[in-house]
Amino acid sequence: MDEPATASKPQETGVVAAAVYHGGRKIADIEIDEAGEWAKREGHVVWIGLYEPSKALLERVGRQFALHQLAIEDAFKAHQFPKVEEYEDSIFIVARTAQMVDGHIAFGETHLFVGVGYVVSVRHGASSSYAHVRERCEARAERLSEGEDFIVYAILDFIVDNYFPVLDAINDEVEDIEDHVITTTMGKVEIEQLYTMRRDLLHLRNAAAPLSDVCRRLERSDIVAIDPVMRPHFRDVRDHLRRVEERIDTMRETLAFAFEASLMNAQIQQTDIARRLAAWAAILAVPTAIAGIYGMNFEHMPELSWKYGYYVVLGATATICAYLYYRLRRAGWL
């Protein structure tokens, strides 16, 4: 007979939630030191959520479920590459999380220990709370009754779904940059912003692409604690990851085009300025040449004694300059 549900207990530092489920329904909130006994009971699943736990807390959890010491070390140090590792009777999964913080992508990590009768999630850095995942699972008892493999799927699906708001936010910025490039040349600040966005998108792709391989292994290999019935669900997560990668590649290409377009605009402006300067130099060369001739102080210059000579020279200079201006204007140099 199932034990009646008890009131929630205050959790210690680093423990977000610790509960045991049977038949998809929550039986009780539990203490870490009793989690191992609950997990050994037939049909019971212990789900523990930790956030940046201490080494001592992780080792206590490890003793409850006989977790491998190397996996505990990885979960404590964080900064791990997305992966899935198999041990004798458990698996260790690493996934990267992402959130927008102050206009930039902030990355975190989630480590999952999964075995028969238990799931332990360990969060580090920027990451949405998995309280929503727990609430959704508890609201669907028939799905939660499928056990620890469904919990793993729900968490991974939640991580991937949280990539999309990040991509939407970046996409708005990409469109603004694209519009800005069309109308004007990018300055140093805009170029730095573009470079930062491309770098963030590359980091996000480096987080999403390996997670696709993790889901492929969960889907296809005979990993402990993953029921064959649940394996197609990880294919759905892979489909979402494929969409994430496609959007990332599209935005990176757009940003690269924006940068190239900005360079082309700058080159066009420089060429236009050079043409204008060359055109004005050609126009100014006429009075400069004429003034240079009359500045040579030759003794015999007949027009110097002609009373209309000054006006004729000025008129000829103005006419030639006006003609050059007209021709250069028609050629698009002015």
Side-chain angles (χ1 to χ4, degrees), residues 13-34:
T13 302
V15 180
V16 178
V20 60
Y21 300 85
H22 180 72
R25 300 189 182 280
K26 182 177 178 180
I27 300 302
D29 290 309
I30 61 175
E31 300 291 343
I32 295 298
D33 295 329
E34 59 185 2

Side-chain angles (χ1 to χ4, degrees), residues 212-250:
S212 181
D213 293 333
V214 170
C215 291
R216 184 181 295 108
R217 286 193 59 190
L218 294 175
E219 174 192 350
R220 296 181 179 178
S221 64
D222 296 327
I223 292 180
V224 64
I226 302 298
D227 194 304
V229 177
M230 283 298 301
R231 289 174 187 166
H233 288 74
F234 297 100
R235 187 182 310 127
D236 179 66
V237 179
R238 285 178 53 207
D239 290 339
H240 291 179
L241 285 167
R242 189 176 300 111
R243 288 170 50 199
V244 168
E245 293 179 44
E246 289 173 355
R247 290 190 61 182
I248 291 174
D249 291 341
T250 299

Side-chain angles (χ1 to χ4, degrees), residues 53-255:
S54 64
K55 183 71 174 296
L57 177 57
L58 273 175
E59 290 179 345
R60 284 173 55 202
V61 173
R63 286 193 294 271
Q64 290 298 310
F65 305 115
L67 302 179
H68 199 281
Q69 189 62 35
L70 290 177
I72 294 175
E73 290 288 339
D74 287 346
F76 176 68
K77 293 179 180 178
H79 303 294
Q80 300 295 316
F81 197 70
K83 62 182 179 180
V84 55
E85 294 181 344
E86 299 182 57
Y87 296 97
E88 292 183 0
D89 54 357
S90 66
I91 58 175
F92 176 63
I93 302 171
V94 178
R96 299 292 302 278
T97 56
Q99 279 186 323
M100 291 299 295
V101 178
D102 297 329
H104 298 284
I105 304 179
F107 293 93
E109 289 184 27
T110 290
H111 303 162
L112 299 176
F113 296 93
V114 187
V116 177
Y118 68 88
V119 175
V120 179
S121 64
V122 183
R123 292 191 296 124
H124 292 274
S127 171
S128 298
S129 171
Y130 297 150
H132 299 297
V133 180
R134 191 180 291 266
E135 290 172 1
R136 262 189 339 207
C137 291
E138 290 176 354
R140 304 173 64 186
E142 73 284 356
R143 301 303 305 276
L144 187 55
S145 64
E146 295 174 2
E148 53 277 353
D149 41 8
F150 178 75
I151 296 174
V152 173
Y153 156 72
I155 292 176
L156 292 179
D157 187 57
F158 182 75
I159 290 173
V160 174
D161 285 347
N162 279 337
Y163 290 158
F164 288 100
V166 173
L167 292 174
D168 291 338
I170 295 181
N171 187 68
D172 293 339
E173 296 183 27
V174 170
E175 291 179 352
D176 291 340
I177 289 178
E178 194 174 17
D179 295 338
H180 183 68
V181 167
I182 295 174
T183 57
T184 184
T185 303
M186 298 175 63
K188 180 180 178 181
V189 175
E190 289 82 4
I191 291 177
E192 288 178 353
Q193 180 188 10
L194 186 150
Y195 173 77
T196 300
M197 291 173 62
R198 278 181 57 84
R199 181 189 61 193
D200 288 347
L201 284 172
L202 177 60
H203 291 167
L204 183 58
R205 197 184 194 287
N206 290 340
L211 190 56
S212 181
D213 293 333
V214 170
C215 291
R216 184 181 295 108
R217 286 193 59 190
L218 294 175
E219 174 192 350
R220 296 181 179 178
S221 64
D222 296 327
I223 292 180
V224 64
I226 302 298
D227 194 304
V229 177
M230 283 298 301
R231 289 174 187 166
H233 288 74
F234 297 100
R235 187 182 310 127
D236 179 66
V237 179
R238 285 178 53 207
D239 290 339
H240 291 179
L241 285 167
R242 189 176 300 111
R243 288 170 50 199
V244 168
E245 293 179 44
E246 289 173 355
R247 290 190 61 182
I248 291 174
D249 291 341
T250 299
M251 284 189 283
R252 281 179 54 83
E253 290 177 4
T254 301
L255 290 173

